[in-house]
Amino acid sequence: MTLAINSTVTLTGGGEMPRFGLGTYKASEGGEVEGSVATALEVGYRSIDTASLYGNEQAIGQAVARSGVPRSELFITTKVWNDEQGYEETLAALHRSLERLDMDYVDLYLLHWPIPRLMESAWRAMEELRAEGHVRAIGVCNFLVPHLEQLDSIATTPPAVNQFEFHPWLQQPEVVSACHERGIAVEAWAPLARGRVFDMPEVVSIGERYGKNAVQVALRWLLQRDVVAIPKSVHPQRVRENAEIFDFELTSHEVEVINGLDRAERIGRDPAWAATGEPL
C-alpha cells in the first residue's frame, strides 16, 4: 500500500481529506500549540484538528498565518462542543470558531459528541453552514451505530467523517462497518492509546524489525487499515518522528497481529452515554 504524508481520502459529497494530520487536544493556547503546528507544517503535515473545547483555535490560526503555507493547501477541522449544540447555537459556535481561527471557512466541522435530543436541530445547522460555504464538509465524533441510525432518519446531507476512539486495544468493528456501509470516512482519536502502545509487546516487536518505535508502527497500521490518523504531540521531535512512517510497510500478517489485539478497552468516555449523562 503506497502512502505518503500528502495521501488523501475522498469524502462523501466531494473533497479530499489528508489521511494523516496533527491532533491538538490538550495543547495549550500560545507557544505550545503554535510550536507544534509550525513544526508539523514544516514537516509536511497539511491537516490540523482542533475544537472549540480545546481553547487553542486562536493560536492555531496564528501559527497557520505565520507558516506561509497557502490556506488552500490546508485541511482545518474544528468541532462544536456539547453546550453549543442546537440550531442557533451551532450556527453561532461555528462563527466564533472562524473568528478565533481568523479564517473564512473550515474544511471539516464535527459534532463533538452525540446529544440525541439536539441532534436534529444541530445537524440542520451543520447542513446550512455547509450550503453557505462556511464549512466544506460536515461530520460527527463518537457516534455509535444507534447514533448513526438516528442521523440517517434526519439528515439530508450524510456525515463525511466519524472521528472516534480507535487504537489496537479498541477497534470498534461494528462502528467501522456501519461507517463503511454509509461511505463515512473513519478517523481515529487517541490513535496511540495515549502512549499505551509502548505497553503492547507485539507492536514493539514489530517495530524492532523495521527500526521503528511502537508509535510509528501503530500509526502505520492505522493508515493501512484505511483509518485517518491525527496523532497529538506538542514536542517538535515527536511531531517529526510521528511522520516518519512512510518509508516502511507492514505485512498483511503484521496487520493481522495488531488487529488481534482488540480487547474493547476504552481510554476515553463511552459514547453510549451522551455527554449530558443521558442514556441512549
Side-chain angles (χ1 to χ4, degrees):
M1 186 177 190
T2 302
L3 292 165
I5 198 169
N6 60 352
S7 293
T8 62
V9 59
T10 301
L11 299 179
T12 298
E16 299 291 321
M17 177 180 184
R19 293 176 179 268
F20 183 77
L22 179 73
T24 63
Y25 175 59
K26 290 190 176 179
S28 301
E29 180 83 336
E32 184 175 77
V33 72
E34 287 184 43
S36 63
V37 171
T39 299
L41 296 178
E42 177 187 334
V43 169
Y45 292 65
R46 290 297 178 263
S47 174
I48 308 295
D49 178 275
T50 184
S52 61
L53 175 71
Y54 301 171
N56 57 22
E57 290 171 313
Q58 184 173 353
I60 287 171
Q62 291 171 347
V64 165
R66 292 170 183 161
S67 72
V69 178
R71 174 68 182 89
S72 60
E73 294 182 12
L74 300 175
F75 191 97
I76 307 298
T77 299
T78 194
K79 312 176 188 75
V80 54
W81 184 240
N82 307 323
D83 62 6
E84 299 173 317
Q85 292 189 31
Y87 177 71
E88 295 291 347
E89 293 87 346
T90 297
L91 295 177
L94 184 275
H95 288 291
R96 287 194 298 269
S97 286
L98 290 177
E99 183 176 356
R100 290 189 291 261
L101 288 162
D102 193 22
M103 296 177 183
D104 296 326
Y105 68 94
V106 292
D107 299 274
L108 178 62
Y109 198 40
L110 303 174
L111 290 179
H112 209 146
W113 285 88
I115 309 292
R117 64 183 174 83
L118 296 175
M119 191 183 301
E120 183 170 6
S121 59
W123 195 253
R124 185 158 55 93
M126 301 279 279
E127 291 178 326
E128 184 173 312
L129 290 166
R130 179 177 179 272
E132 293 175 350
H134 299 299
V135 305
R136 299 288 175 85
I138 53 178
V140 296
C141 298
N142 305 301
F143 270 46
L144 301 178
V145 175
H147 301 124
L148 293 173
E149 290 173 343
Q150 180 182 352
L151 192 56
D152 287 341
S153 69
I154 60 179
T156 301
T157 302
V161 174
N162 187 9
Q163 182 188 120
F164 53 91
E165 184 179 348
F166 191 106
H167 47 73
W169 283 349
L170 182 71
Q171 298 177 35
Q172 307 202 65
E174 68 290 342
V175 181
V176 172
S177 294
C179 288
H180 288 170
E181 290 168 4
R182 293 164 171 79
I184 301 171
V186 173
E187 183 174 30
W189 65 256
L192 309 175
R194 294 185 181 157
R196 291 172 175 83
V197 289
F198 288 105
D199 299 327
M200 304 175 189
E202 299 87 349
V203 177
V204 173
S205 176
I206 290 170
E208 290 171 351
R209 300 173 200 165
Y210 296 99
K212 298 293 181 179
N213 62 37
V215 164
Q216 292 164 327
V217 171
L219 292 173
R220 180 72 199 193
W221 166 74
L222 285 168
L223 296 184
Q224 290 186 216
R225 282 283 309 268
D226 204 25
V227 175
V228 176
I230 47 169
K232 175 254 179 176
S233 180
V234 296
H235 304 288
Q237 183 56 34
R238 289 180 191 165
V239 171
R240 295 177 186 276
E241 287 178 357
N242 289 348
E244 293 172 358
I245 59 173
F246 301 104
D247 56 352
F248 76 108
E249 182 174 349
L250 301 176
T251 67
S252 59
H253 172 71
E254 290 165 340
V255 170
E256 287 304 317
V257 167
I258 302 175
N259 289 349
L261 300 181
D262 188 10
R263 55 195 203 188
E265 182 173 318
R266 291 187 181 278
I267 293 168
R269 187 195 312 247
D270 187 345
W273 288 78
T276 55
E278 300 170 342
L280 285 174

